[in-house]
Amino acid sequence: MAWRLLVTNLKSTQTQTLTLTNLLRHSSPFSTSFLVTKLPKKFRKKRKKHESPRTKLVQSEPDRISHFERILQTDSFFRFLFKSKDFLSKQPEHVLRLDDAGKLYRELGFPRGRKVARSIERHPLLFEPYRHSDGKMWFGFTEFMEELIEEEREIMDSMEMDRVRTVRKLLMMSANKRIPLTKIYRCRSVFGIPEDFRDRVSKYPDYFRLVVEDDGKRVLELVNWEPSLAVSQLEREFVVNEDKVKRMFMFPVKHGRDLDLDLDDTRKLNLLNTLPLVSPYSDGSKLELWTLEAEKYRLGLVHELLSLTLEKRASIHHIVEFKEEFSLTKHTYQMLLKQPRTFYLAGTEMNWVVFLKDAYDENGDLIHKDPQVVFNEKLRRYAQMQKME
């Protein structure tokens, strides 16, 4: 009997405990649902977003030169004009179906997702849409634009020997005196090289040799070395104005500050590194990669490369195109940033353009203009007109 009484008391105690627990759970007048377990969004500390190299500008506000930055904005505004001109010039009858044009935003230079018709309407003197006999909408050059295209062709013909000289100098600067023809073609607009230059090469057997490699790649080789062409723009300027060239680049002597010299003595000390210059027509591939001579060679080469361009400037894409041929490194961007007296880098860290500062006046205009540059400026003026004045 005693054990039965003990079991009964234990069951009774457990039942009372469960009943009390349930009672407290359901009868509590308080709720914790109103308590704030997360900090409200408006009170949270905002994280500072790190700028992407795609959007971060190269120059900070105090160092920014407005007329160089404005040139890039102008390029962006007229991208459709020049890319469409080049593309249509290669098409039969200089026309293109509008449905096809809408898919070629890269080739024609209009924003992705936008209608190409809107870009055409911005330049009514140069481009016009029309309905073809097949019932489809097409667009092409106006008669006035056809006249301008013919004028540009005449300029190209008159400047042919000058462009041949440019290509010869490019080949002379290259490590093995040879450059794939496709690379020259992709950068042709920067140097003013005509579209059909690949066909004109055969006219100059004393200068060029076209070699077809096993993989089908066509490579342009230099036939004869011309000593008179192997003189850089820097070397010519040095003869005219030695002091100016001495100030163009900065190669500070290591630990120079520890010597506690005045400004004039510091300049004289740094000149020991600046001179002598290293010719861009020497073989830079034989120089040790991170030596002072190698850096002077690469800076001189970029300077000479820019001096050969029409507008004395080039984008990262044009410079990288010749990276192997000109023995350039992936640190070219940082190297140019350290020489603000000679070069100005505009745009963003991922998509920058380098300018040769001495080639421009204080208003951002080229001091010496190639005939092709004059033609391009005239084309931009017509592109902004809605009707002939």
Side-chain angles (χ1 to χ4, degrees):
M1 289 296 292
W3 66 270
R4 285 184 180 178
L5 184 60
L6 179 61
V7 170
T8 303
N9 288 339
L10 284 172
K11 287 183 178 180
S12 176
T13 304
Q14 290 175 352
T15 304
Q16 288 176 4
T17 304
L18 289 171
T19 305
L20 182 61
T21 303
N22 290 334
L23 182 65
L24 289 171
R25 183 180 297 167
H26 294 292
S27 64
S28 176
F30 302 105
S31 173
T32 60
S33 61
F34 70 92
L35 294 176
V36 178
T37 56
K38 287 185 178 181
L39 195 66
K41 196 171 184 180
K42 60 181 179 181
F43 295 121
R44 291 181 201 166
K45 188 176 180 181
K46 293 183 179 178
R47 292 182 180 177
K48 188 177 180 181
K49 291 184 178 179
H50 295 287
E51 283 190 278
S52 164
R54 189 181 296 276
T55 58
K56 186 178 180 181
L57 297 176
V58 174
Q59 304 291 347
S60 57
E61 188 64 40
D63 301 324
R64 207 167 291 159
I65 301 178
S66 58
H67 57 251
F68 286 134
E69 303 289 345
R70 196 163 51 244
I71 289 173
L72 297 195
Q73 295 173 5
T74 303
D75 285 350
S76 178
F77 183 79
F78 290 109
R79 183 175 291 117
F80 174 78
L81 167 65
F82 287 100
K83 296 203 82 170
S84 295
K85 175 181 74 70
D86 291 344
F87 191 84
L88 283 177
S89 297
K90 294 181 283 186
Q91 304 303 309
E93 306 298 327
H94 297 167
V95 294
L96 186 64
R97 198 165 68 172
L98 215 55
D99 290 342
D100 297 332
K103 304 170 187 176
L104 302 172
Y105 60 91
R106 284 195 186 92
E107 290 81 356
L108 299 179
F110 65 92
R112 184 178 184 180
R114 302 283 182 89
K115 291 185 177 180
V116 66
R118 293 179 62 181
S119 297
I120 296 171
E121 291 167 0
R122 280 167 42 193
H123 313 299
L125 287 184
L126 309 179
F127 303 109
E128 61 179 354
Y130 67 96
R131 190 170 296 279
H132 199 264
S133 57
D134 60 1
K136 300 285 185 180
M137 289 298 296
W138 293 59
F139 91 100
F141 295 146
T142 61
E143 290 186 12
F144 178 62
M145 183 62 168
E146 292 285 3
E147 294 175 5
L148 291 175
I149 293 295
E150 184 59 34
E151 180 183 339
E152 183 180 34
R153 190 176 294 113
E154 292 173 1
I155 292 172
M156 292 283 189
D157 291 340
S158 66
M159 299 297 294
E160 182 171 326
M161 288 309 301
D162 190 74
R163 307 311 184 222
V164 167
R165 175 180 171 275
T166 297
V167 176
R168 290 176 71 191
K169 288 175 78 70
L170 289 174
L171 289 170
M172 289 171 68
M173 284 193 293
S174 63
N176 298 314
K177 311 300 175 274
R178 63 201 310 266
I179 299 176
L181 205 54
T182 53
K183 293 191 175 187
I184 298 174
Y185 179 78
R186 283 197 289 265
C187 297
R188 67 190 185 281
S189 60
V190 181
F191 299 104
I193 297 171
E195 164 74 27
D196 60 348
F197 180 77
R198 291 178 291 189
D199 300 325
R200 302 189 189 203
V201 165
S202 58
K203 293 165 57 178
Y204 304 98
D206 294 337
Y207 301 151
F208 309 121
R209 181 189 301 113
L210 193 59
V211 178
V212 181
E213 297 187 337
D214 295 338
D215 58 358
K217 183 192 295 183
R218 295 197 293 174
V219 179
L220 196 64
E221 292 184 348
L222 183 71
V223 173
N224 291 315
W225 179 271
E226 178 57 55
S228 63
L229 293 181
V231 181
S232 68
Q233 181 67 24
L234 273 178
E235 291 169 319
R236 284 194 293 269
E237 288 181 10
F238 187 82
V239 175
V240 178
N241 192 341
E242 182 178 333
D243 291 335
K244 177 187 172 184
V245 176
K246 286 179 179 179
R247 294 192 301 269
M248 290 180 71
F249 300 109
M250 295 183 292
F251 300 103
V253 175
K254 289 183 179 180
H255 312 297
R257 292 182 181 179
D258 298 337
L259 300 175
D260 195 24
L261 301 174
D262 60 26
L263 189 61
D264 191 45
D265 288 337
T266 302
R267 254 194 225 120
K268 290 177 181 177
L269 182 65
N270 290 338
L271 275 178
L272 296 175
N273 279 346
T274 304
L275 298 177
L277 300 172
V278 179
S279 173
Y281 295 97
S282 59
D283 191 353
S285 62
K286 294 180 179 178
L287 296 173
E288 292 186 30
L289 196 57
W290 304 117
T291 58
L292 179 62
E293 285 71 21
E295 185 174 355
K296 285 169 28 174
Y297 162 78
R298 289 191 289 268
L299 283 169
L301 190 142
V302 173
H303 186 283
E304 184 72 359
L305 182 69
L306 295 179
S307 70
L308 293 175
T309 62
L310 291 179
E311 299 186 23
K312 313 310 174 193
R313 60 186 173 108
S315 74
I316 175 179
H317 311 291
H318 301 130
I319 292 175
V320 170
E321 191 75 64
F322 299 108
K323 179 182 174 183
E324 295 175 0
E325 285 76 17
F326 295 155
S327 305
L328 297 173
T329 71
K330 63 180 180 181
H331 301 291
T332 301
Y333 168 76
Q334 287 83 3
M335 178 186 73
L336 296 176
L337 268 182
K338 293 190 296 183
Q339 306 295 340
R341 294 177 183 174
T342 302
F343 304 114
Y344 180 83
L345 274 72
T348 63
E349 290 183 352
M350 185 174 283
N351 191 19
W352 48 265
V353 174
V354 57
F355 291 82
L356 206 54
K357 291 174 74 173
D358 285 348
Y360 292 80
D361 62 20
E362 63 275 6
N363 298 317
D365 294 322
L366 278 167
I367 297 172
H368 302 291
K369 294 183 180 180
D370 186 273
Q372 182 66 48
V373 174
V374 176
F375 173 83
N376 290 343
E377 289 178 348
K378 181 169 70 171
L379 196 62
R380 291 189 191 100
R381 287 198 298 271
Y382 286 129
Q384 296 177 81
M385 294 166 58
Q386 295 299 307
K387 59 182 180 180
M388 188 66 73
E389 296 178 358

